[in-house]
Amino acid sequence: SAATAALGFAGYVLAAFGVSHEVWRIGLGLAAVVVLTLVILGGMRQSNRTNTIVVSITLAALAVFVLAGIRPLLQNGAQHFTPFWGLPGEEGSPLRGLLHASALMFVAYTGYGRIATLGEEVRSPRTTIPRAIIVTLIASMILYVSVAVVAVGVAGAGQFAEQTQATSAPLEVIAAAFGVPGAPAILAAGAITAMLGVLLNLLLGLSRVVLAMGRRRDLPAAVARVSETSKTPEAAVIVVAVLIAALVLIGDVRITWSFSAFTVLVYYAITNLAALQMPAEQRLFPRGVAMAGLLACLFLAFWVEPGIWISGSLILAAGFVGRWLMRRL
């Protein structure tokens, strides 16, 4: 997911300058990983300040997109939403496309999981974390649905799909049709900061996962050390940054996104399985919530391309073998 964000950032920046070259995309993606790693190594306060600026710009840009698109949306009426289920002349089952898209879209909601990994660094985590997760999910859903309704309502699903294939910045092309001066440039800035925000939060969250794994001896104990000065798990941050940089070298957003969809769905299934094992007195929500999450995640995980879930399953199996070896050592 983080590698996808880094490549997405590079793609949006290059698109803004009319450049399309794989080497530049990979190089810029690697540069983003290095810069944000240095920000995180500076401590939580510096990370929070950076995150606040990045997210504020992103939200403002998306708000401009939605507001600027209301007039052409109303002018078009419901013509681009009929038929609502599938496209004219579409090959294959609309239901299959919906499930595949849902599996890929799940990645866009996984930011709430990063909130949970920072439980050690917030006040009253038992109260703060669940509240933050619920607010994040609701706000993200409203934002995503608003952007989707405007984009599809203005351009139509077919044209939107074509723009997605033809350019790395389809929303900018749609914004250009609004007739609002500066809308595409504002959206470009928002897209760039959105990718940076995703990358920053994944670096933060994944490094805390590695920290916890070091403490449990699922990884070497060295990654469990926390710096006395910055209060940051520096070794864990660097390990995560190196892994992300290695995946950025793949250079293809579609591959990294599909891989992240499968692995994210599997590890959220495991998270729900873990929630089912919790004692009743520690549980915040009924068991049915975790059971529904477990079944839904496992079901969606296998709607990505077969080659992705087969190779993803092999990687997960290698992970379990590696964990077993670490425990033996």
Side-chain angles (χ1 to χ4, degrees):
S1 301
T4 302
L7 289 169
F9 158 78
Y12 280 122
V13 171
L14 293 175
F17 291 96
V19 179
S20 178
H21 197 286
E22 186 176 353
V23 173
W24 278 99
R25 185 168 64 250
I26 292 173
L28 203 53
L30 291 173
V33 173
V34 171
V35 170
L36 290 183
T37 299
L38 294 174
V39 169
I40 291 170
L41 289 174
M44 198 66 192
R45 187 168 296 176
Q46 181 171 294
S47 301
N48 279 337
R49 277 198 295 264
T50 305
N51 197 36
T52 300
I53 295 168
V54 164
V55 172
S56 298
I57 295 172
T58 302
L59 292 176
L62 290 175
V64 168
F65 177 82
V66 172
L67 293 173
I70 289 176
R71 179 194 280 182
L73 174 66
L74 294 176
Q75 289 173 345
N76 287 334
Q79 63 173 321
H80 288 150
F81 293 101
T82 52
F84 189 79
W85 189 251
L87 295 171
E90 182 182 22
E91 295 183 6
S93 165
L95 178 60
R96 181 180 181 84
L98 175 66
L99 292 172
H100 184 194
S102 298
L104 297 177
M105 186 63 185
F106 189 86
V107 179
Y109 279 95
T110 57
Y112 72 85
R114 305 282 68 77
I115 297 171
T117 61
L118 298 172
E120 192 175 302
E121 298 173 73
V122 298
R123 297 187 186 94
S124 306
R126 186 173 174 83
T127 304
T128 306
I129 295 293
R131 187 182 300 160
I133 287 173
I134 292 168
V135 170
T136 301
L137 281 172
I138 293 172
S140 299
M141 180 185 68
I142 292 170
L143 194 63
Y144 287 147
V145 170
S146 301
V147 170
V149 168
V150 170
V152 174
V154 172
Q159 186 182 338
F160 193 10
E162 289 173 10
Q163 292 295 343
T164 303
Q165 293 290 333
T167 175
S168 59
L171 290 182
E172 287 179 44
V173 177
I174 294 171
F178 293 167
V180 177
I186 293 171
L187 193 68
I192 290 167
T193 56
M195 294 297 100
L196 287 177
V198 172
L199 180 55
L200 173 63
N201 283 287
L202 284 169
L203 275 163
L204 271 172
L206 293 171
S207 61
R208 271 57 180 180
V209 172
V210 169
L211 167 68
M213 292 173 74
R215 286 174 174 169
R216 291 170 57 90
R217 298 298 186 267
D218 291 327
L219 287 175
V223 297
R225 297 192 188 118
V226 177
S227 168
E228 290 292 330
T229 53
S230 65
K231 306 299 180 186
T232 299
E234 293 178 346
V237 172
I238 292 169
V239 166
V240 168
V242 169
L243 289 172
I244 293 170
L247 289 169
V248 168
L249 295 175
I250 293 173
D252 192 327
V253 172
R254 289 170 296 182
I255 293 175
T256 55
W257 188 282
S258 294
F259 258 116
S260 62
F262 175 75
T263 51
V264 161
L265 282 160
V266 169
Y267 87 64
Y268 274 97
I270 294 171
T271 303
N272 282 291
L273 184 61
L276 288 170
Q277 312 304 315
M278 292 181 68
E281 63 274 10
Q282 293 183 13
R283 199 175 293 121
L284 293 178
F285 301 100
R287 285 173 57 89
V289 174
M291 182 59 73
L294 171 62
L295 295 176
C297 287
L298 286 177
F299 175 73
L300 280 179
F302 294 94
W303 283 96
V304 299
E305 299 89 332
I308 295 293
W309 66 255
I310 289 171
S311 53
S313 298
L314 292 173
I315 291 171
L316 286 168
F320 281 115
V321 171
R323 181 177 184 273
W324 179 79
L325 288 172
M326 283 298 303
R327 289 298 176 91
R328 295 281 299 206
L329 292 171

